[in-house]
Amino acid sequence: MKDGTDTAGFYSLYHHGFARLAACTLPVALADPMENARRTHHAIRACHEAGSVLAVFPELGLSGYAIDDLRQQDVLLDGVREAIGWLAGQTAGLLPLVLVGAPLAVGDALYNCAIALHDGRVVGVVPKSYLPNYREFYEARQFTPGAGLRGGTVTLGGVAVPFGTDLLFHAPAVQGLVVAAEICEDMWVPHPPGVDAALAGATVIANLSASNITVGKARTRTMLCQSHSARCLCAYVYAAAGEGESTTDVAWDGQTSIFENGVTLAQSARFPSGQVTLMADVDLDLLRQERLRMGTFADNRARTTAGAWRHIDLSITPPTRDLGLRRDIARFPFVPSDPGLLDQDCYEAFTIQVTALKRRLLASRAKTLVIGVSGGLDSTHALLVAARAAEECGLGRQAVLGYTMPGFGTTGATRNNAHELMAALGVQAREIDIRPAARLMLEQMGHPFAAGEAVYDVTFENVQAGLRTDFLFRLANQSGGIVIGTGDLSELALGWCTYGVGDQMAHYNVNAGLPKTLIQHLIRWVMASGREQARTCTVLEAILCTEISPELVPATATQAVQSTESLIGPYALQDFTLFHVLRHGVRPSKIAFMALHAWGEATGGDWSPGFPAEGRRAYTLAEIRHWLGVFLNRFFGFSQFKRSAMPNGPKVVAGGALSPRGDWRAPSDGNARLWLEELERRVPRD
């Protein structure tokens, strides 16, 4: 701690609510527990050295799964106990909680178990709840099901160890890490044990599996793991048996996978040769935030009848060094990097907007759609939506009244693009020069500009923005129509809009749920759809290449055209922050950490399809920190009053919306102090 700051652990993933988990598979030596223990120890050490706090191994990995009646032989069972004792001792001083599979006799019954090891001892044993005894499976021939076994103990090496399906392994020093174990078939039943474990507090479900492989089965496993992690708002770590298992009647693929809240974080190649230690960094903060928000999750917890759970506390001290980050952090969290997913998202987003606007047109009995067309991205996209909605409602594109309204900073390029776009789309194109009215207003206000002074303050800018909107509303009255808003989600977040009689207001804002970084892809999607003529696509391409600007201040020989991003920050970074603030309530320091991994190098990671090569750049931590501060100040500090009075418009992206009637509610007189202090205290300046 120095000067009130606490930035020492900034570069450690554990400092930001992540935890490194491992799913391991390795060649098995059938009916040779000690050899399997030695191989397992080698993999555990690899996990330890990489900073993993959990290592999950396959079902019955210490004995081999495909050994049939050998499971009941005393010699084998004695060898398993000896191997467990040896392997437990080898974990002394090592970081991860280890889950290995083994057959274990408890009383007069034999159980298929997950053995939990940590720091030199066995800390718990979880029996398999459900035994498959159909098709190629005959587990009930040797094993007893563990479903309902709670509160028991088993003696291993002369020590009583917790035994049952009621065990949760908790690492207090890794905030949010609570692990429960399932074994193979447990995942395939209608009500998996992991559901109750998650409701009891487990954030990570580990599945020790020996699922054999048939054509198409891997897809089903992945679907089950993904859905399990999504339904339970948890991470799911899956490790299956592979090389070395008997192929007398079945085959094995050694599938290892790690999932988080319905998302696949990592998958290894199947049918591996040799040891596999698949690792990924799970976001425990994200899981906590999702559970915090989804009230029905807590409702289920209140109604569960699963009974009491035993918490096994583990003294895991996570590394504080820089381990990198083993997960993909999307540069553009609102925009998929997969071309197929992006195409689907664009189709859905555009159709949501068109469908919503059609409903509003029918409900309002509007005869026209009045829209200001600047030649910029937002108004261009809103015009595309309006034209399609008018067409599908039977009004025709001539019902769209497009107005370009040049002001003091309007450039010839954007004005020409606006006119060309309206002509290409076949809407009614009109122009109103607002400069005479603006001069009169500024003169009557006594503004220095009216006396010839080059004073371009916020009043100068907002007089123009307000007049444009005022004209649009009166024109809508005159034509029996409604004003279509064009401002986007990113501008609402940053308060980059003129309140009231300004671009903050409309009768219906089709863009209110769209982040700026998605709009350019939507325009490209429209261009590729084949629904518009080549002339339209040509002007759309020109608009995509135009710098984002409000064009309210006139350019001069020494002063370039206004650049929005030079004033409020790159939309790429601001949309990154918006997503993580809005969707998951993430701390500023964590956002900075993730942004550094997403944006620290231009050459690494995936870029969204169609993103221009010349725009691919990196940001330093200092730049990230600066623009993050701008976002926090604008979003939390003074922009909420604009959002509290925003017009109707559809939610479009799962990342969130800012309508006070929808996703986001906040006081208009709040402040940004806590967020800015956290940024200052926990993020290094360079």
Side-chain angles (χ1 to χ4, degrees):
M1 181 78 69
K2 182 180 179 182
D3 299 329
T5 62
D6 181 21
T7 61
F10 176 79
Y11 295 97
S12 168
L13 65 97
Y14 288 100
H15 192 69
H16 299 287
F18 294 101
R20 182 159 295 173
L21 312 181
C24 309
T25 190
L26 61 165
V28 68
L30 293 177
D32 191 345
M34 190 56 72
E35 176 58 25
N36 291 324
R38 283 191 284 267
R39 296 177 184 180
T40 301
H41 174 237
H42 185 268
I44 294 170
R45 289 209 65 88
C47 295
H48 166 80
E49 290 164 6
S52 177
V53 290
L54 175 67
V56 181
F57 290 85
E59 178 182 13
L60 297 179
L62 289 185
S63 61
Y65 178 88
I67 59 174
D68 298 313
D69 288 346
L70 297 184
R71 296 163 173 167
Q72 294 174 315
Q73 292 287 309
D74 281 341
V75 169
L76 179 86
L77 295 175
D78 289 345
V80 164
R81 283 181 172 254
E82 181 183 357
I84 291 171
W86 179 84
L87 187 59
Q90 297 304 306
T91 65
L94 300 184
L95 180 64
L97 165 67
V98 178
L99 294 173
V100 295
L104 200 62
V106 181
D108 296 326
L110 183 64
Y111 294 96
N112 180 342
C113 297
I115 314 295
L117 313 172
H118 183 252
D119 198 19
R121 61 193 181 96
V122 181
V123 294
V125 177
V126 179
K128 187 173 183 176
S129 291
Y130 300 102
L131 304 177
N133 217 51
Y134 53 86
R135 300 191 185 98
E136 63 265 43
F137 302 107
Y138 298 96
E139 285 189 35
R141 177 181 174 93
Q142 297 96 19
F143 293 117
T144 297
L149 292 177
R150 308 174 70 85
T153 60
V154 60
T155 301
L156 289 172
V159 178
V161 175
F163 172 77
T165 59
D166 57 341
L167 302 185
L168 297 176
F169 302 96
H170 178 222
V174 184
Q175 187 175 7
L177 181 64
V178 182
V179 181
E182 291 183 333
I183 303 176
C184 201
E185 183 73 10
D186 291 346
M187 179 182 72
W188 296 74
V189 301
H191 187 88
V195 172
D196 290 327
L199 291 171
T203 53
V204 177
I205 310 296
N207 190 295
L208 296 75
S209 177
S211 176
N212 66 299
I213 187 61
T214 55
V215 173
K217 191 174 184 180
R219 291 193 298 272
T220 305
R221 290 191 203 123
T222 297
M223 179 268 294
L224 288 171
C225 291
Q226 282 182 320
S227 62
H228 205 351
S229 71
R231 184 184 305 108
C232 294
L233 303 178
C234 69
Y236 202 87
V237 183
Y238 182 88
E243 188 180 7
E245 289 287 358
S246 172
T247 57
T248 300
D249 292 300
V250 293
W252 315 86
D253 68 338
Q255 182 175 355
T256 59
S257 317
I258 301 174
F259 307 85
E260 174 192 280
N261 193 30
V263 175
T264 303
L265 293 186
Q267 282 187 319
S268 65
R270 293 162 55 222
F271 305 100
S273 177
Q275 174 184 305
V276 172
T277 52
L278 177 74
M279 298 184 203
D281 297 334
V282 166
D283 191 342
L284 298 173
D285 281 349
L286 180 150
L287 299 174
R288 175 179 51 79
Q289 280 280 351
E290 286 294 286
R291 291 182 177 187
L292 195 68
R293 283 165 165 72
M294 189 176 289
T296 48
F297 186 88
D299 292 343
N300 267 248
R301 180 189 296 123
R303 289 165 176 77
T304 184
T305 56
W309 289 77
R310 288 179 286 174
H311 288 252
I312 313 299
D313 284 344
L314 307 172
S315 56
I316 294 177
T317 302
T320 58
R321 67 185 187 278
D322 183 358
L323 298 170
L325 194 64
R326 297 197 186 197
R327 65 181 284 137
D328 291 330
I329 301 291
R331 285 186 174 91
F332 302 101
F334 290 110
V335 183
S337 58
D338 177 83
L341 288 177
L342 179 58
D343 182 73
Q344 178 68 19
D345 281 11
C346 287
Y347 160 75
E348 290 184 350
F350 193 78
T351 307
I352 287 168
Q353 290 179 280
V354 171
T355 303
L357 181 55
K358 284 165 58 180
R359 171 61 189 154
R360 180 50 57 96
L361 290 171
L362 291 171
S364 65
R365 298 185 177 88
K367 299 176 183 177
T368 63
L369 297 79
V370 177
I371 181 170
V373 183
S374 68
L377 282 178
D378 292 346
S379 66
T380 293
H381 181 66
L383 182 60
L384 292 170
V385 171
R388 183 71 61 85
E391 204 171 50
E392 293 186 7
C393 277
L395 294 172
R397 292 191 174 188
Q398 281 291 297
V400 179
L401 309 183
Y403 287 88
T404 181
M405 293 178 280
F408 299 117
T410 302
T411 63
T414 54
R415 180 173 173 271
N416 291 339
N417 283 342
H419 277 289
E420 176 63 15
L421 178 63
M422 291 187 285
L425 288 172
V427 305
Q428 292 195 49
R430 302 176 180 180
E431 180 172 306
I432 295 176
D433 187 342
I434 65 166
R435 287 173 292 185
R439 283 196 183 94
L440 178 60
M441 181 177 285
L442 290 166
E443 181 181 341
Q444 292 179 329
M445 293 174 63
H447 192 277
F449 176 80
E453 296 183 39
V455 176
Y456 307 129
D457 56 10
V458 67
T459 303
F460 174 82
E461 295 188 31
N462 284 350
V463 160
Q464 298 172 77
L467 279 171
R468 285 172 174 153
T469 303
D470 199 3
F471 271 118
L472 292 174
F473 271 95
R474 303 298 74 81
L475 291 163
N477 295 153
Q478 188 178 46
S479 62
I482 61 173
V483 176
I484 307 303
T486 62
D488 63 47
L489 182 70
S490 308
E491 292 177 343
L492 283 165
L494 292 160
W496 190 247
C497 51
T498 301
Y499 181 73
V501 184
D503 56 324
Q504 177 261 352
M505 189 47 63
H507 285 120
Y508 195 75
N509 186 356
V510 294
N511 282 350
L514 280 183
K516 185 79 77 176
T517 48
L518 181 57
I519 287 178
Q520 61 176 297
H521 294 283
L522 279 163
I523 293 174
R524 289 192 181 96
W525 179 83
V526 170
M527 293 166 63
S529 69
R531 292 284 298 267
E532 300 296 341
Q533 298 178 353
R535 180 184 180 186
T536 302
C537 293
T538 299
V539 68
L540 290 177
E541 185 62 45
I543 290 168
L544 286 168
C545 295
T546 302
E547 183 172 8
I548 299 169
S549 170
E551 292 196 337
L552 294 170
V553 174
T556 67
T558 58
Q559 178 64 48
V561 173
Q562 274 180 300
S563 168
T564 297
E565 292 183 296
S566 69
L567 298 170
I568 60 173
Y571 277 112
L573 288 183
Q574 302 302 40
D575 275 3
F576 183 92
T577 298
L578 173 60
F579 177 89
H580 292 289
V581 165
L582 189 57
R583 187 70 176 87
H584 299 303
V586 178
R587 297 178 181 88
S589 58
K590 182 169 182 173
I591 292 173
F593 175 79
M594 292 191 297
L596 185 60
H597 282 275
W599 287 97
E601 295 181 3
T603 55
D606 294 327
W607 288 89
S608 302
F611 192 88
E614 62 273 14
R616 300 182 180 187
R617 61 154 299 179
Y619 292 98
T620 65
L621 180 58
E623 290 173 308
I624 290 167
R625 191 184 194 278
H626 170 73
W627 292 120
L628 181 52
V630 170
F631 179 95
L632 297 173
N633 188 48
R634 297 187 70 94
F635 183 83
F636 291 106
F638 60 82
S639 297
Q640 181 58 39
F641 77 99
K642 299 181 182 182
R643 298 188 287 267
S644 294
M646 64 183 282
N648 294 173
K651 177 178 178 178
V652 178
V653 293
L658 288 169
S659 169
R661 301 166 297 277
D663 266 12
W664 180 258
R665 296 166 179 83
S668 293
D669 50 2
N671 68 82
R673 182 178 59 81
L674 284 177
W675 288 266
L676 291 169
E677 285 180 356
E678 204 273 351
L679 176 70
E680 180 68 24
R681 187 175 68 253
R682 300 190 67 189
V683 179
R685 289 192 170 274
D686 49 34

